[in-house]
């Protein structure tokens, strides 16, 4: 009985921790976007990226992380996340950011949710690139359920 009572409390604490981590992440990204000296700390790209482009990449990261956060807290289903990411992929800067950060995702464990979501994004970008339709909103198959 005590285990069943603790589970909602544990989920509440986990969601609260996720919200706090998300808030802190966005605060740090905003500081880096506003200050080139701080943005330099996050410059881990394999090629030289001009400052304005780095700021755009930081913003793209903030948008991506925001969408993931909404999914993680249960405010967006996996299918809804897929649709949201499909819209983001229409932007050239976002696709450039995704390509520039490919090596960042190589260290993720293959069993992690973030790895699976990154793979879903890679597949979506490839499907959009391979598509011969102007109707980008129908490209890619949304996940059937919320298990990444």
């Amino acid at each position: 009985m005590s285990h069943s009572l603790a589970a909602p409390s544990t989920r509440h604490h986990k969601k609260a921790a996720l919200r706090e981590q998300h808030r802190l992440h966005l605060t740090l990204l905003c500081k880096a976007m506003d200050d080139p000296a701080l943005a330099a700390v996050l410059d881990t790209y394999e090629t030289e990226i001009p400052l304005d482009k780095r700021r755009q990449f930081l913003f793209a990261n903030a948008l991506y992380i925001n969408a993931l956060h909404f999914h993680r807290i249960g405010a967006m289903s996996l299918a809804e996340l897929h649709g949201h990411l499909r819209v983001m992929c229409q932007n050239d800067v976002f696709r450039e950011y995704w390509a520039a950060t490919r090596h960042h995702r190589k260290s993720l464990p293959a069993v992690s949710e973030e790895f699976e979501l990154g793979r879903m994004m890679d597949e979506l970008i490839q499907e959009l690139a391979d598509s011969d339709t102007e109707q980008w909103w129908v490209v890619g198959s949304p996940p059937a359920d919320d298990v990444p």
Side-chain angles (χ1 to χ4, degrees):
M1 172 95 165
S2 65
H3 176 48
S4 64
L5 293 176
S9 177
T10 301
R11 282 192 302 270
H12 173 74
H13 288 300
K14 183 178 179 181
K15 282 188 177 185
L18 280 172
R19 282 191 300 273
E20 179 59 23
Q21 188 275 334
H22 179 67
R23 186 197 60 74
L24 179 59
H25 182 83
L26 289 179
T27 298
L28 293 171
L29 283 177
C30 287
K31 286 182 180 199
M33 283 184 269
D34 290 341
D35 186 339
L38 297 179
V41 174
L42 297 175
D43 185 358
T44 58
Y45 307 106
E46 292 180 327
T47 61
E48 182 65 29
I49 306 290
L51 178 60
D52 284 345
K53 182 67 69 176
R54 269 190 278 154
R55 291 177 73 195
Q56 289 177 327
F57 284 5
L58 291 171
F59 188 75
N61 177 260
L63 292 175
Y64 177 70
I65 294 300
N66 192 58
L68 293 187
H69 173 69
F70 272 83
H71 169 66
R72 286 179 176 145
I73 65 168
M76 185 184 297
S77 72
L78 190 57
E80 290 169 325
L81 176 63
H82 183 271
H84 188 76
L85 296 177
R86 182 172 36 205
V87 172
M88 291 169 64
C89 289
Q90 297 310 302
N91 183 276
D92 292 337
V93 175
F94 185 84
R95 287 191 312 272
E96 191 177 350
Y97 151 76
W98 193 256
T101 57
R102 180 170 307 269
H103 68 283
H104 294 174
R105 293 180 293 281
K106 287 183 179 179
S107 66
L108 294 172
V111 296
S112 71
E113 178 186 37
E114 192 167 352
F115 179 88
E116 289 295 323
L117 294 173
R119 188 175 60 145
M120 181 178 79
M121 181 69 131
D122 289 338
E123 290 170 0
L124 182 56
I125 288 172
Q126 189 61 53
E127 289 171 353
L128 287 164
D130 293 345
S131 173
D132 61 356
T133 181
E134 295 290 322
Q135 297 177 334
W136 56 265
W137 54 92
V138 299
V139 174
S141 299
D145 56 38
D146 269 26
V147 179

